[in-house]
Amino acid sequence: MTARPEIVCLCGSARFVNEMRAVNSELTLAGVIVVAPSEADQSPTPEQKAVLDALHRRKIDLADRVLVVNPGGYVGESTRGEIDYARAAGKPVSFTHPL
């Protein structure tokens, strides 16, 4: 029986959706299970954002580690909260670009 593949949760600003898709594809092709933020065609309502934020924290809980997609070193307020949550949960956090 083969070992379970690593599970990586992607975090990052919604403005980097294309970059997150590219990282998701690269990791998936390398045999990694990727969980990523949801995508929407329109901005969520405040109620929907609260649901999505809570759901993303559960995705972090499922992951072995977190990879922050941060072109140019950008990390917004929501992503900082996810990083803090992941670290508090003992998850390793790495970044695609230096801070």
Side-chain angles (χ1 to χ4, degrees):
M1 184 176 189
T2 59
R4 174 181 68 76
E6 179 183 37
I7 301 172
V8 174
C9 182
L10 299 183
C11 294
S13 172
R15 72 178 74 176
F16 300 133
V17 66
N18 291 329
E19 292 87 344
M20 279 196 261
R21 285 180 186 153
V23 171
N24 188 331
S25 177
E26 179 182 326
L27 290 172
T28 299
L29 291 173
V32 174
I33 296 170
V34 178
V35 289
S38 62
E39 294 182 31
D41 292 334
Q42 55 194 357
S43 294
T45 65
E47 294 81 12
Q48 290 170 329
K49 174 135 176 48
V51 168
L52 294 174
D53 288 349
L55 187 61
H56 196 70
R57 281 175 168 66
R58 299 298 75 77
K59 291 176 181 181
I60 292 169
D61 291 340
L62 292 171
D64 298 314
R65 68 181 175 97
V66 168
L67 177 58
V68 179
V69 179
N70 64 321
Y74 177 82
V75 175
E77 183 179 335
S78 291
T79 303
R80 283 194 193 284
E82 293 166 353
I83 292 166
D84 291 344
Y85 180 86
R87 287 183 171 152
K91 306 289 179 171
V93 177
S94 58
F95 300 83
T96 58
H97 294 78
L99 295 179

